[in-house]
Amino acid sequence: MPIVVETLSKNPRVTGFATLHRSTIGRKMIMAVTGLIMLAFVVVHMVGNLKIFFGETEFNEYAAWLRTIGEPALHEAWYLWIQRAVLTVALVLHIWAAVTLSRHDVNARPVKYHAKRKGGYATSTMRWGGVTLLLFIIWHILDMTTGTVNPATSHEPYERITAGFDQWWNVAIYTLAMVALCLHIWHGLWSAANTLGWNRATTAGFRTFAVFVALVVGFGFLLVPYSVVFGLVD
């Protein structure tokens, strides 16, 4: 069934789902769905990281198990590569939607307001926080995934984590990134739910839920590096 959407040129027209990406609401929906996909991965990744508190052997076995997910239907590590492909596509679409919507917003308001526009702080936080997270993702892959910049002498995940977070500046980078992640989840989760129409009746409640999720994720991730710093994990 054809639907009517608002295009980026603000000319409503009849279109199908195949051209939904041309509309403002369509791109917001793309941002929302891809953001939720990445959030799901982040939550699972955070929970998995906490297995480090069960000891080196169990953590390394957990990391090895990740490579066997889907066997025998999938070959070794195929699941990880499928996951990486999905996350890469989600990330690219998320960035594309964010950039095009930002340009549309700027073009729609060529003259800056003299008064501070409502929501400007949140928008700036999301924009620069997103850039920070993108740079961190690249660094994190080089550090913990490929080991290119990691000082560990072996390929064992446990040693990479302890060796990496034994460097104060690496902990500082990680902390900055987790602050950016918290802010991104806080505003992004509520915005995604709002875009998808999930929280119209309980706006205040869902904002509180978004804050809770952001703090839990941030705290969960930061437990690991600071446990290394204070000698709880070595």
Side-chain angles (χ1 to χ4, degrees):
M1 177 181 293
I3 58 174
V4 178
V5 297
E6 178 189 0
T7 64
L8 290 178
S9 61
K10 292 188 176 181
N11 294 321
R13 67 187 182 87
V14 177
T15 184
F17 285 106
T19 56
L20 188 63
H21 69 279
R22 298 180 183 177
S23 69
T24 302
I25 187 61
R27 296 188 183 194
K28 286 182 178 180
M29 290 179 69
I30 289 173
M31 276 196 72
V33 173
T34 55
L36 291 175
I37 290 173
M38 291 185 287
L39 176 60
F41 166 76
V42 163
V43 171
V44 173
H45 184 39
M46 180 270 292
V47 173
N49 281 359
L50 297 180
K51 289 189 70 67
I52 199 169
F53 294 104
F54 291 92
E56 180 176 359
T57 299
E58 187 160 341
F59 185 75
N60 286 337
E61 288 177 350
Y62 164 72
W65 169 77
L66 292 176
R67 302 179 63 85
T68 66
I69 295 177
E71 292 185 349
L74 300 177
H75 291 288
E76 183 180 358
W78 276 25
Y79 168 79
L80 288 179
W81 284 108
I82 292 172
Q83 176 182 268
R84 289 165 182 164
V86 171
L87 290 172
T88 300
V89 171
L91 179 62
V92 170
L93 288 175
H94 196 77
I95 294 173
W96 167 78
V99 170
T100 54
L101 284 170
S102 180
R103 287 179 177 175
H104 174 249
D105 187 54
V106 171
N107 292 334
R109 299 178 178 85
V111 179
K112 294 183 178 180
Y113 292 133
H114 292 291
K116 187 175 181 180
R117 183 165 59 92
K118 183 179 179 180
Y121 176 76
T123 301
S124 298
T125 300
M126 291 294 285
R127 181 179 298 123
W128 292 110
V131 172
T132 300
L133 289 173
L134 178 60
L135 294 175
F136 172 72
I137 289 170
I138 297 172
W139 170 260
H140 195 57
I141 291 173
L142 293 174
D143 185 23
M144 296 297 177
T145 303
T146 66
T148 305
V149 297
N150 192 284
T153 57
S154 77
H155 298 295
E156 295 293 340
Y158 188 95
E159 184 177 344
R160 280 187 178 176
I161 288 178
T162 54
F165 291 137
D166 197 39
Q167 301 170 310
W168 69 266
W169 49 268
N170 203 2
V171 176
I173 291 173
Y174 198 84
T175 302
L176 176 63
M178 291 308 103
V179 171
L181 179 62
C182 280
L183 293 174
H184 216 74
I185 292 174
W186 173 26
H187 182 72
L189 181 56
W190 178 85
S191 296
N194 190 49
T195 297
L196 298 174
W198 291 355
N199 68 324
R200 293 175 182 174
T202 57
T203 301
F206 204 95
R207 281 183 182 273
T208 301
F209 173 72
V211 172
F212 174 76
V213 172
L215 291 177
V216 168
V217 170
F219 180 75
F221 273 120
L222 289 175
L223 266 180
V224 176
Y226 283 96
S227 292
V228 175
V229 170
F230 292 107
L232 299 177
V233 174
D234 54 26

